[in-house]
Amino acid sequence: MSFTLEEESNGILPDRMIAEMAEAGLILPAYDFVESQIQPASLDLRLGDIAYRVRASFLPGPDATVAERIDQLKLHEIDLSDGAVLETNCVYIVPLLESLALPPEIVAAANPKSSTGRLDVFTRVIADGTRRFDMIGAGYHGPLYAEISPKTFPVLLREGSRLSQVRFRIGEATLSADELDVLHAAERLVDIDDADLTHGVALSVDLSGESSGGFVGYRAKRHTGVVDVDRRGGYAVDDFWEPIKARPDGSLILDPGEFYILASKEAVQVPPDYAAEMVPFDPLVGEFRVHYAGFFDPGFGYAGAGGKGARAVLEVRSREVPFILEHGQIVGRLVYERMLERPDALYGQRIGSNYQAQGLKLSKHFRV
């Protein structure tokens, strides 16, 4: 099957085009796709059957393959066929079951899945000859690998586990400032009247506790048991998390090295013809990192897909020093991109959409 796009196309490829790419040999899975692997605007990537424990994270650079660097840096190999535990603060490289043969006009970008980020599993996708994580250039032909480093909980993984997802783009998909203004006027992207749309939709942190029974978030416990990433609803919250109550002054001190789950003050929505991504926050305004998992699919929080606006869950980690967050402080920006076509199924309308109409919410692994 051939795969062609109109000249001067601009946008993110939707679900049916991802399926067509696979049929045309542009995506090369080792095994057939499984149910819900193709999302409205992305493809889940599956782990292969072996993990390599390596001495350090790396990028291959333009003159090397990932396999060559693994040979130089590996400490030992771990068989994932029947599942294995990856320890915290170690670095592992896992070949993925999907490889690519992209045409010259399509680029790809990867991001951790929402559930991966909420477990504080730091993961990035690497490709041969690249100088950047999570970015696969136009025309790339070759394998993909996941770099995985659990930061808080040891995790049980196996062949076929899905930690990352990839989007495919052609042309310039990001909305300009004027286009974003027009879209917000038509669709009301956030539920506030004075939305800050500078360089994307600004999101602030909710530390009031008003929408969550007086609680503002969770802090991860240390020295917990193992989390099986494929086990839904299998763990008691109290065994892994400490709830954080709202303070009268609406502040929260982030301790270095601790991991927090918080929520945005604003409820957001992504209309059906658009996708969004939480971009890295400017470190010059605060020594903290927010949101490891940045893809928001078409239909997220959208009323027509079963949502009424949804809060962005924030995966927060302070860097080197304690840092005070204040209620309403801007912590990230949501950049909107146009879809090449509307997906066949929106977020919330297919199996695997776990966080539609969400508020403050832990990953799907924990019993509510």
Side-chain angles (χ1 to χ4, degrees):
M1 176 181 175
S2 63
F3 181 85
T4 58
L5 296 170
E6 295 182 5
E7 292 186 12
E8 300 184 3
S9 296
N10 292 279
I12 294 173
L13 276 62
D15 43 15
R16 64 179 169 279
M17 289 188 175
I18 295 173
E20 291 170 2
M21 287 179 66
E23 292 175 5
L26 307 183
I27 303 171
L28 302 166
Y31 310 114
D32 290 343
F33 291 151
V34 297
E35 186 178 27
S36 81
Q37 188 175 347
I38 298 178
Q39 298 290 328
S42 62
L43 173 70
D44 289 353
L45 299 172
R46 297 171 293 178
L47 301 182
D49 63 358
I50 190 167
Y52 299 94
R53 168 79 165 90
V54 293
R55 298 201 306 269
S57 174
F58 65 87
L59 280 168
D63 300 319
T65 67
V66 177
E68 290 170 343
R69 298 306 308 277
I70 290 173
D71 285 340
Q72 297 167 358
L73 296 170
K74 71 178 178 181
L75 300 174
H76 58 268
E77 302 178 7
I78 301 169
D79 186 0
L80 297 181
S81 299
D82 296 320
V85 174
L86 303 192
E87 301 290 346
T88 57
N89 296 314
C90 297
V91 181
Y92 304 87
I93 305 296
V94 181
L96 298 174
L97 294 181
E98 287 75 31
S99 58
L100 299 177
L102 296 179
E105 66 272 18
I106 293 179
V107 300
N111 231 305
K113 290 174 60 64
S114 294
S115 296
T116 306
R118 296 185 202 196
L119 287 177
D120 200 21
V121 177
F122 186 66
T123 185
R124 303 183 285 196
V125 171
I126 319 174
D128 290 342
T130 54
R131 293 176 171 171
R132 298 177 65 188
F133 293 105
D134 288 334
M135 302 299 295
I136 300 104
Y140 176 76
H141 285 218
L144 300 175
Y145 300 80
E147 176 193 295
I148 304 168
S149 182
K151 307 308 293 182
T152 296
F153 311 126
V155 292
L156 176 63
L157 304 175
R158 57 186 57 79
E159 182 180 19
S161 294
R162 293 180 269 171
L163 301 184
S164 302
Q165 53 194 170
V166 63
R167 278 182 175 172
F168 301 95
R169 293 178 175 86
I170 181 171
E172 177 54 55
T174 303
L175 299 188
S176 68
D178 289 341
E179 290 170 331
L180 187 62
D181 286 339
V182 170
L183 180 61
H184 179 61
E187 295 282 4
R188 191 172 170 83
L189 302 176
V190 289
D191 64 341
I192 58 174
D193 294 329
D194 56 344
D196 180 351
L197 304 182
T198 307
H199 307 301
V201 176
L203 296 181
S204 63
V205 63
D206 181 8
L207 296 178
S208 69
E210 294 176 358
S211 62
S212 51
F215 291 90
V216 298
Y218 297 89
R219 180 170 58 190
K221 292 184 176 182
R222 297 277 185 177
H223 314 298
T224 67
V226 173
V227 177
D228 184 338
V229 300
D230 298 318
R231 185 181 178 190
R232 186 187 299 251
Y235 303 97
V237 171
D238 291 346
D239 291 340
F240 292 83
W241 300 95
E242 297 174 356
I244 304 170
K245 290 184 178 181
R247 291 171 52 91
D249 63 356
S251 70
L252 174 64
I253 297 177
L254 303 177
D255 291 323
E258 301 295 330
F259 179 67
Y260 301 83
I261 295 292
L262 306 174
S264 68
K265 177 182 172 184
E266 300 82 8
V268 303
Q269 67 160 324
V270 182
D273 294 309
Y274 300 87
E277 181 176 358
M278 182 82 84
V279 297
F281 193 53
D282 184 357
L284 298 179
V285 300
E287 288 298 317
F288 60 94
R289 175 182 175 130
V290 171
H291 219 288
Y292 292 76
F295 285 164
F296 290 68
D297 273 339
F300 178 85
Y302 189 69
K308 296 180 180 178
R311 314 243 171 216
V313 168
L314 309 171
E315 300 113 19
V316 182
R317 179 181 285 278
S318 186
R319 296 182 187 273
E320 302 299 328
V321 297
F323 186 82
I324 297 177
L325 282 181
E326 308 282 354
H327 176 67
Q329 182 173 345
I330 294 176
V331 293
R333 292 189 180 272
L334 205 56
V335 172
Y336 282 73
E337 301 176 280
R338 66 180 59 84
M339 295 294 298
L340 192 58
E341 294 179 5
R342 181 174 294 197
D344 286 342
L346 300 177
Y347 188 92
Q349 295 179 334
R350 83 163 74 236
I351 295 172
S353 299
N354 300 292
Y355 307 115
Q356 184 66 297
Q358 71 181 355
L360 177 64
K361 191 172 184 180
L362 295 172
S363 72
K364 62 187 179 183
H365 309 91
F366 301 100
R367 294 190 294 272
V368 178

